Amino acid sequence: MAEEAAPHILLVCYPGQGNINPMLRFAKRIAAKGLLVTCSASSIVRDKLAAASGVSAGGDGVPVGRGRLRFDFLDDHLDGPTKLDLHEYLRQLETGGRAALADLLLRHAEAGRPVACVVGNPFLPWVTDVAADAGVPAAVMWVQSCAVFSIYFHFAHGLAEFPHEDGDGDLDDARLTLPGLPAMSFADVPSFLIPSHPYKVFGDMIQDQFRNISRASWVFVNSFAELERDVFAALPGVTPRPPRLITVGPLVGGQDDGEAVRGDLIKAADGCVAWLDAQAPRSVVYASLGSVVTLSAEAVAEMAHGLASTGRPFLWVVRPDTRPLLPEGFLEMVAGRSMVVPWSPQDRVLAHPAVACFLTHCGWNSTLETVAAGVPVVAFPQWGDQCTDAKFLVDELGMGVHLRAPLRREAVREAVDAVTAGPEADAMRANARSWSAAARAAVAPGGSSDLHVQAFVDEVSRRARGGQAEASAV
């Protein structure tokens, strides 16, 4: 009797680092449980992602646990965001992506590995439509917090009075109260909802996902039930009722099979971990503002002098586009006691015992990585969901302190001192350790998120077997 083929799952990802990381980690989780998983994205990241992952595009992929992971990119012929303004880039991403995805689904079917489920994410709402039109079940991977999902849902359906920008009021003074969420100032709300925000188009795209989210059979979220218990408890009482969010996180490094398969579009510097090995326990300030946030030359200088003034060794991620903004002579001044790198293996850095705290922009990936590692934070959000994440890290989880704009070197030093040696530092570390234990338990065998992943794998497998049985009967 022929061996039954593993169900085939296709993940289609927005071509940005903050979206690729959780999608690839989810791909490895479900592949490890016995599925064939194909990761796809726009052709503009084909070469970088294939090089970072070590997996050739279009081949049979590599074994991960009991399944396999492979890559197959959309033939969408994009030039990339560097040659287009953001609106035009996103328009072309959809125009080329729709036809390319439909073609990819057809090619897989003709190759004898039909797709059992397509998983998209909020920045690609059209993926759900293409899958539905092809008769393929779809899922959405929500790559932000459940709290942020609730805020967007309430906004999209007009379920709450969101403050309006009229130029007369202070955003910090306006309050927003939603079920299961703490009272928030308008400054804590994802900034994509502010009409004047330069990247408001991303908020518009996310709201487009709510237009067709009912066409998705599953809505996964990169979080875990214990972390956002109040939000989960409140959502079923909202009218119209939101889709059920299925927690599958935290999707962070070091917790899944196939860890050698990485998705870093920027090459991590060699020697970060070895340098940390030479530092004293809980001595190092780790600073990184992610792959997109850009600071002014003045802010970079204040950050640099602030980190240097802490008297602690620091590991600072300064991307190549930002490096020219460093103060003259700064690298020579801190040489020997600190390390400035273009990119780092962040999951490994945060897990290192030498790290005392994390100065972060509070992107959701970084937020979950520091929660999983149990590292206190200096929260310095810039825009988007970072504003909401920072509030939860500091005010709800009790894991750190705020660093407010405009950035000043004295404020950097004071924030680092507060989170590492201040009166509340021990309580922050204890809270961080507690949330780390909860995160590890969620993804461990039998944990809340692990059970949700297994339930999805089981359901897809049952559906696939049913389809194969029908085909055999014909």
Side-chain angles (χ1 to χ4, degrees), residues 1-26:
M1 184 175 181
E3 183 178 350
E4 187 177 279
H8 182 197
I9 310 299
L10 175 65
L11 275 63
V12 185
C13 187
Y14 179 82
Q17 188 69 76
N19 289 263
I20 288 172
N21 282 343
M23 289 289 272
L24 180 56
R25 288 161 180 167
F26 181 64

Side-chain angles (χ1 to χ4, degrees), residues 33-115:
K33 292 184 179 293
L35 300 184
L36 170 64
V37 182
T38 296
C39 291
S40 186
S42 170
S43 59
I44 61 174
V45 293
R46 183 197 317 265
D47 294 339
K48 285 186 176 180
L49 193 51
S53 65
V55 181
S56 299
D60 292 332
V62 295
V64 177
R66 295 187 288 109
R68 294 191 72 83
L69 177 67
R70 59 186 302 279
F71 287 86
D72 203 343
F73 294 87
L74 300 178
D75 191 10
D76 53 7
H77 308 291
L78 286 195
D79 291 329
T82 58
K83 297 182 180 180
L84 302 168
D85 66 47
L86 181 59
H87 286 77
E88 180 62 17
Y89 168 63
L90 294 174
R91 187 189 69 80
Q92 290 195 19
L93 189 67
E94 176 174 358
T95 301
R98 280 181 174 269
L101 177 55
D103 179 66
L104 184 60
L105 290 170
L106 180 61
R107 286 193 284 114
H108 279 307
E110 292 175 343
R113 50 170 178 258
V115 173

Side-chain angles (χ1 to χ4, degrees), residues 311-351:
R312 289 176 171 271
F314 59 85
L315 173 60
W316 186 15
V317 174
V318 179
R319 298 191 315 268
D321 59 313
T322 303
R323 196 176 182 92
L325 303 181
L326 288 172
E328 184 176 356
F330 174 75
L331 294 176
E332 291 76 14
M333 180 181 72
V334 300
R337 72 178 178 92
S338 294
M339 191 173 189
V340 179
V341 298
W343 200 244
S344 76
Q346 182 161 287
D347 48 351
R348 297 178 63 194
V349 168
L350 288 172

Side-chain angles (χ1 to χ4, degrees), residues 209-413:
Q209 184 70 80
F210 291 107
R211 170 187 56 80
N212 65 358
I213 203 166
S214 62
R215 306 185 82 178
S217 299
W218 303 271
V219 180
F220 303 117
V221 59
N222 182 15
S223 185
F224 57 103
E226 296 79 5
L227 184 67
E228 302 187 80
R229 192 181 302 278
D230 291 345
V231 186
F232 283 116
L235 279 173
V238 175
T239 303
R241 189 166 181 170
R244 175 178 170 246
L245 299 185
I246 305 168
T247 54
V248 294
L251 297 171
V252 299
Q255 295 177 322
D256 42 31
D257 288 313
E259 187 56 27
V261 181
R262 298 182 66 91
D264 297 319
L265 300 182
I266 308 172
K267 186 181 184 301
D270 295 327
C272 290
V273 175
W275 181 80
L276 288 170
D277 289 341
Q279 310 306 314
R282 291 211 313 267
S283 65
V284 175
V285 179
Y286 172 56
S288 175
L289 301 185
S291 60
V292 180
V293 167
T294 300
L295 298 181
S296 67
E298 179 184 3
V300 171
E302 293 298 313
M303 178 79 77
H305 291 301
L307 289 171
S309 70
T310 65
R312 289 176 171 271
F314 59 85
L315 173 60
W316 186 15
V317 174
V318 179
R319 298 191 315 268
D321 59 313
T322 303
R323 196 176 182 92
L325 303 181
L326 288 172
E328 184 176 356
F330 174 75
L331 294 176
E332 291 76 14
M333 180 181 72
V334 300
R337 72 178 178 92
S338 294
M339 191 173 189
V340 179
V341 298
W343 200 244
S344 76
Q346 182 161 287
D347 48 351
R348 297 178 63 194
V349 168
L350 288 172
H352 200 284
V355 172
C357 68
F358 181 19
L359 195 163
T360 172
H361 65 307
C362 302
W364 188 238
N365 288 333
S366 291
T367 294
L368 285 178
E369 285 173 345
T370 201
V371 166
V375 175
V377 299
V378 173
F380 185 53
Q382 301 299 295
W383 39 257
D385 64 311
Q386 300 164 17
C387 309
T388 312
D389 300 342
K391 176 175 179 57
F392 273 77
L393 274 170
V394 176
D395 299 336
E396 300 303 307
L397 305 186
M399 286 182 55
V401 299
H402 292 288
L403 177 60
R404 307 290 187 182
L407 193 62
R408 294 290 180 262
R409 63 191 68 183
E410 296 83 4
V412 174
R413 183 183 66 252

Side-chain angles (χ1 to χ4, degrees), residues 28 38 48 53 116 130 146 151 189 199 263 268 361 386 435 440:
K28 291 189 285 187
T38 296
K48 285 186 176 180
S53 65
V130 174
C146 298
I151 294 170
V189 172
Y199 294 148
H361 65 307
Q386 300 164 17
W435 284 115
R440 291 195 303 271

